[in-house]
Amino acid sequence: MSRIDAKFAELKAAGKSAFVSYIMAGDPNMDASLEVMKGLPDAGVDIIELGVPFTDPMADGATIQLAGQRALAAQMTLKKTLAMAAEFRKGDDTTPIVLMGYYNPIYYHGVDQFVTDAKAAGIDGLIVVDLPPEEDDELCLPANAAGLNFIRLATPTTDDKRLPKVLQNTSGFIYYVAINGITGSGSANAQTVGAEVARIKQSTDIPVCIGFGIKTPQDAQEMAAVADGAVVGSAIVEKLGAGEPAADVLAFVRTLADGVHAA
């Protein structure tokens, strides 16, 4: 059982949904982002989604694009992101870490070497948004073989014909994109999203977490009530981008976590 599987089992036994929080590794620099990362579990975060900065983040809106630019300007790399995760693991061996990013840096690093290094750094799962199921041989299958969960995105346009392909080789959880568009745009509607999550859950036992368009504790509570978890990224990254102290960012994260866990 992976750390992700164990976390969902623990939360299910407690009657709670999971709170997944996103931060960009290296934003605004490695030390500052590591400080925030270390504080996330105590702020109520169940699973950490750690972004890998990339020059062409096609699925991300302006807030996370700018975070990536800040991280790249601070010389953040995939290798340093793994080092950051390894440093976090020295003090926390239970909180799951999911790397979120794009295939190019992984391909450049070398797939076999990346899988080995990610596992050694304490990574539990991967979200690679530009690798569809048709490309599972590239990374998904090697990652699964090494014990890394490969988390796939489902969207409002994932119909019943496409869904089985999306579920293929997926593990850990399914990331349901609540709105059409990029991160940080629009607001999710719990009634509409709830129906879509229920449809997906008819075809799988894998937990479904909702992301995109969740900005407030109330949003988080509403989304968590119709799914197995809620993911918040841009609203947190925005505060980091504004230069707010780590303590203030983590206090905001706590309000989101309380919302999710109250669902």
Side-chain angles (χ1 to χ4, degrees):
M1 181 179 285
S2 70
R3 289 188 186 93
I4 296 173
D5 296 333
K7 178 57 67 175
F8 277 108
E10 172 193 330
L11 290 166
K12 184 177 182 179
K16 293 182 178 180
S17 293
F19 177 44
V20 185
S21 71
Y22 172 97
I23 61 170
M24 176 68 72
D27 174 33
N29 56 63
M30 183 168 174
D31 289 344
S33 59
L34 180 59
E35 179 185 0
V36 172
M37 185 181 183
K38 286 181 175 180
L40 291 175
D42 284 343
V45 172
D46 299 303
I47 299 172
I48 297 170
E49 187 183 344
L50 187 62
V52 180
F54 180 52
T55 53
D56 187 22
M58 63 181 184
D60 294 309
T63 297
I64 292 179
Q65 285 185 25
L66 289 170
Q69 290 174 16
R70 291 190 296 268
L72 290 169
Q75 307 300 310
M76 199 63 180
T77 63
L78 173 57
K79 186 175 181 180
K80 289 180 180 178
T81 300
L82 294 175
M84 179 174 158
E87 185 63 29
F88 172 86
R89 278 280 172 247
K90 292 179 181 178
D92 186 321
D93 194 41
T94 58
T95 304
I97 303 173
V98 175
L99 276 191
M100 185 279 182
Y102 299 83
Y103 185 48
N104 184 278
I106 295 170
Y107 179 80
Y108 183 79
H109 191 91
V111 169
D112 291 343
Q113 189 63 55
F114 166 75
V115 168
T116 298
D117 292 347
K119 191 70 178 175
I123 300 301
D124 303 290
L126 306 174
I127 299 174
V128 184
V129 296
D130 53 351
L131 276 183
E134 287 77 10
E135 305 295 336
D136 275 359
D137 288 345
E138 290 286 333
L139 177 62
C140 176
L141 296 183
N144 284 344
L148 294 169
N149 291 131
F150 202 87
I151 296 153
R152 199 90 67 185
L153 273 63
T155 74
T157 60
T158 304
D159 59 19
D160 289 339
K161 183 178 179 180
R162 179 63 176 170
L163 183 59
K165 197 72 173 177
V166 170
L167 297 176
Q168 167 187 296
N169 299 319
T170 299
S171 60
F173 63 91
I174 297 160
Y175 189 133
Y176 182 74
V177 177
I179 57 175
N180 285 315
I182 52 178
T183 58
S185 64
S187 296
N189 179 283
Q191 184 174 357
T192 302
V193 172
E196 285 298 295
V197 169
R199 179 176 66 89
I200 293 170
K201 290 181 74 66
Q202 289 177 351
S203 299
T204 182
D205 293 329
I206 301 171
V208 180
C209 294
I210 301 170
F212 287 49
I214 302 174
K215 302 174 182 178
T216 68
Q218 183 176 352
D219 292 340
Q221 183 172 352
E222 290 174 356
M223 293 300 129
V226 297
D228 300 295
V231 186
V232 181
S234 294
I236 299 168
V237 171
E238 192 171 52
K239 292 186 175 296
L240 289 165
E244 293 193 20
D248 291 351
V249 174
L250 292 170
F252 172 65
V253 170
R254 166 57 72 181
T255 67
L256 296 167
D258 288 346
V260 170
H261 293 147

